[in-house]
Short mmCIF file of all heavy atoms in Angstrom, two decimals:
data_model
loop_
_atom_site.label_atom_id
_atom_site.label_comp_id
_atom_site.label_asym_id
_atom_site.label_seq_id
_atom_site.Cartn_x
_atom_site.Cartn_y
_atom_site.Cartn_z
N TYR M 7 97.15 76.91 82.10
CA TYR M 7 98.34 77.55 81.55
C TYR M 7 98.82 78.68 82.48
O TYR M 7 98.04 79.29 83.20
CB TYR M 7 98.03 78.17 80.17
CG TYR M 7 97.97 77.18 79.04
CD1 TYR M 7 96.85 76.38 78.83
CD2 TYR M 7 99.03 77.05 78.14
CE1 TYR M 7 96.79 75.48 77.76
CE2 TYR M 7 98.98 76.16 77.06
CZ TYR M 7 97.85 75.38 76.89
OH TYR M 7 97.80 74.49 75.84
N ALA M 23 89.05 68.87 96.81
CA ALA M 23 87.59 68.90 97.02
C ALA M 23 86.81 68.41 95.81
O ALA M 23 85.58 68.32 95.87
CB ALA M 23 87.17 70.32 97.38
N ASN M 31 101.02 74.27 83.72
CA ASN M 31 102.30 74.61 83.10
C ASN M 31 102.57 76.08 83.33
O ASN M 31 101.77 76.78 83.98
CB ASN M 31 102.30 74.24 81.60
CG ASN M 31 101.29 75.05 80.80
OD1 ASN M 31 101.12 76.24 81.04
ND2 ASN M 31 100.62 74.42 79.84
N ASP M 38 101.97 78.50 69.69
CA ASP M 38 103.10 77.60 69.98
C ASP M 38 102.80 76.59 71.08
O ASP M 38 103.55 75.62 71.25
CB ASP M 38 104.33 78.44 70.41
CG ASP M 38 104.77 79.36 69.30
OD1 ASP M 38 104.47 79.06 68.13
OD2 ASP M 38 105.42 80.39 69.62
N LYS M 72 85.60 71.99 74.69
CA LYS M 72 84.34 72.71 74.49
C LYS M 72 84.32 74.09 75.15
O LYS M 72 83.33 74.81 75.08
CB LYS M 72 83.18 71.89 75.09
CG LYS M 72 83.07 70.47 74.53
CD LYS M 72 81.73 70.30 73.84
CE LYS M 72 81.57 69.01 73.06
NZ LYS M 72 82.73 68.42 72.44
N GLN M 73 85.39 74.42 75.85
CA GLN M 73 85.40 75.71 76.54
C GLN M 73 86.81 76.31 76.55
O GLN M 73 87.79 75.63 76.32
CB GLN M 73 84.87 75.61 77.97
CG GLN M 73 85.48 74.53 78.87
CD GLN M 73 86.96 74.68 79.14
OE1 GLN M 73 87.79 73.85 78.73
NE2 GLN M 73 87.29 75.76 79.85
N THR M 79 89.68 88.78 84.52
CA THR M 79 88.46 89.48 84.11
C THR M 79 88.49 89.81 82.62
O THR M 79 87.55 89.52 81.88
CB THR M 79 88.31 90.79 84.90
OG1 THR M 79 88.35 90.49 86.29
CG2 THR M 79 87.01 91.48 84.56
N VAL M 84 90.97 87.43 73.92
CA VAL M 84 90.41 86.28 73.19
C VAL M 84 89.72 86.75 71.92
O VAL M 84 89.02 87.76 71.92
CB VAL M 84 89.40 85.51 74.08
CG1 VAL M 84 88.74 84.37 73.30
CG2 VAL M 84 90.10 84.95 75.32
N LEU M 94 83.38 77.01 71.20
CA LEU M 94 83.98 77.11 72.53
C LEU M 94 83.19 78.09 73.40
O LEU M 94 82.94 79.23 72.99
CB LEU M 94 85.42 77.60 72.42
CG LEU M 94 86.37 76.71 71.61
CD1 LEU M 94 87.66 77.45 71.32
CD2 LEU M 94 86.66 75.41 72.36
N THR M 97 84.58 81.78 79.19
CA THR M 97 84.15 82.39 80.46
C THR M 97 85.31 83.19 81.04
O THR M 97 86.48 82.93 80.75
CB THR M 97 83.70 81.32 81.49
OG1 THR M 97 84.82 80.47 81.80
CG2 THR M 97 82.56 80.48 80.98
N TYR M 102 86.74 88.88 90.89
CA TYR M 102 87.42 88.02 91.87
C TYR M 102 87.66 88.78 93.15
O TYR M 102 87.79 88.20 94.21
CB TYR M 102 88.71 87.44 91.34
CG TYR M 102 89.52 88.34 90.46
CD1 TYR M 102 90.32 89.32 90.99
CD2 TYR M 102 89.46 88.21 89.08
CE1 TYR M 102 91.07 90.14 90.17
CE2 TYR M 102 90.19 89.04 88.26
CZ TYR M 102 90.99 90.00 88.81
OH TYR M 102 91.72 90.83 88.01
N LYS M 131 119.43 111.67 96.71
CA LYS M 131 120.56 112.61 96.53
C LYS M 131 120.82 113.39 97.82
O LYS M 131 121.45 114.45 97.80
CB LYS M 131 120.22 113.60 95.40
CG LYS M 131 120.04 112.94 94.04
CD LYS M 131 119.76 113.95 92.94
CE LYS M 131 118.34 114.47 93.05
NZ LYS M 131 117.95 115.39 91.98
N SER M 135 114.87 118.89 101.19
CA SER M 135 114.15 120.16 101.18
C SER M 135 112.65 119.91 100.94
O SER M 135 112.26 118.88 100.43
CB SER M 135 114.71 121.07 100.08
OG SER M 135 114.56 120.44 98.82
N ILE M 157 84.78 97.46 89.75
CA ILE M 157 85.98 98.05 90.36
C ILE M 157 85.77 99.54 90.62
O ILE M 157 86.07 100.04 91.71
CB ILE M 157 87.21 97.80 89.47
CG1 ILE M 157 87.52 96.29 89.45
CG2 ILE M 157 88.42 98.59 89.96
CD1 ILE M 157 88.56 95.87 88.42
N VAL M 161 86.19 101.70 94.05
CA VAL M 161 87.03 102.91 94.14
C VAL M 161 86.19 104.07 94.70
O VAL M 161 86.64 104.80 95.59
CB VAL M 161 87.61 103.28 92.75
CG1 VAL M 161 88.32 104.63 92.80
CG2 VAL M 161 88.55 102.19 92.25
N ALA M 170 86.36 112.45 100.15
CA ALA M 170 86.50 113.12 98.84
C ALA M 170 85.12 113.24 98.19
O ALA M 170 84.20 112.48 98.48
CB ALA M 170 87.43 112.31 97.94
N SER M 188 78.12 111.49 92.28
CA SER M 188 77.25 112.25 91.37
C SER M 188 77.65 111.86 89.96
O SER M 188 78.84 111.79 89.64
CB SER M 188 77.44 113.75 91.52
OG SER M 188 77.28 114.13 92.84
N THR M 212 86.61 102.77 74.01
CA THR M 212 87.51 103.24 75.08
C THR M 212 88.99 103.20 74.69
O THR M 212 89.82 103.69 75.45
CB THR M 212 87.31 102.40 76.38
OG1 THR M 212 87.58 101.03 76.09
CG2 THR M 212 85.89 102.54 76.91
N ILE M 216 91.49 108.29 76.69
CA ILE M 216 92.31 109.38 77.23
C ILE M 216 93.40 109.68 76.22
O ILE M 216 94.47 109.07 76.18
CB ILE M 216 92.93 108.97 78.61
CG1 ILE M 216 91.83 108.54 79.58
CG2 ILE M 216 93.74 110.13 79.17
CD1 ILE M 216 90.79 109.61 79.91
N THR M 227 96.84 120.63 87.74
CA THR M 227 97.17 120.05 89.05
C THR M 227 96.62 118.63 89.20
O THR M 227 96.77 118.02 90.26
CB THR M 227 96.54 120.92 90.16
OG1 THR M 227 95.14 121.11 89.82
CG2 THR M 227 97.24 122.25 90.28
N ASN M 249 105.30 116.13 80.03
CA ASN M 249 106.42 117.01 79.72
C ASN M 249 105.99 118.48 79.65
O ASN M 249 106.73 119.37 80.03
CB ASN M 249 107.05 116.60 78.37
CG ASN M 249 107.98 115.42 78.54
OD1 ASN M 249 108.58 115.22 79.61
ND2 ASN M 249 108.10 114.60 77.50
N ILE M 253 99.18 118.07 82.83
CA ILE M 253 98.66 117.46 84.06
C ILE M 253 99.83 117.31 85.04
O ILE M 253 101.01 117.45 84.64
CB ILE M 253 97.97 116.11 83.82
CG1 ILE M 253 98.95 115.04 83.31
CG2 ILE M 253 96.79 116.25 82.85
CD1 ILE M 253 98.37 113.62 83.30
N ALA M 257 99.61 107.58 87.38
CA ALA M 257 99.95 106.25 87.88
C ALA M 257 99.40 105.23 86.90
O ALA M 257 98.24 105.31 86.50
CB ALA M 257 99.35 106.02 89.26
N VAL M 305 93.49 85.92 94.34
CA VAL M 305 94.11 84.73 93.73
C VAL M 305 93.25 83.50 94.01
O VAL M 305 92.97 82.70 93.12
CB VAL M 305 95.56 84.54 94.24
CG1 VAL M 305 96.10 83.17 93.83
CG2 VAL M 305 96.46 85.64 93.68
N LYS M 306 92.81 83.34 95.26
CA LYS M 306 91.98 82.17 95.61
C LYS M 306 90.66 82.19 94.82
O LYS M 306 90.24 81.16 94.29
CB LYS M 306 91.72 82.14 97.11
CG LYS M 306 90.88 80.93 97.51
CD LYS M 306 90.96 80.61 98.98
CE LYS M 306 89.94 79.56 99.40
NZ LYS M 306 89.68 78.49 98.45
N THR M 318 81.43 72.97 85.69
CA THR M 318 80.02 73.17 85.33
C THR M 318 79.80 72.90 83.84
O THR M 318 78.88 72.19 83.45
CB THR M 318 79.60 74.63 85.65
OG1 THR M 318 79.77 74.83 87.04
CG2 THR M 318 78.15 74.91 85.26
N GLY M 322 77.89 69.72 81.54
CA GLY M 322 76.72 70.04 80.72
C GLY M 322 75.92 71.22 81.23
O GLY M 322 74.87 71.55 80.68
N GLY M 323 76.41 71.87 82.27
CA GLY M 323 75.70 73.03 82.81
C GLY M 323 76.08 74.31 82.11
O GLY M 323 76.90 74.32 81.18
#
Side-chain angles (χ1 to χ4, degrees):
Y7 282 79
N31 65 39
D38 297 337
K72 304 242 171 328
Q73 51 63 246
T79 305
V84 176
L94 300 167
T97 62
Y102 37 80
K131 297 182 285 184
S135 60
I157 293 170
V161 172
S188 305
T212 60
I216 305 299
T227 51
N249 280 331
I253 65 170
V305 169
K306 180 162 170 37
T318 299

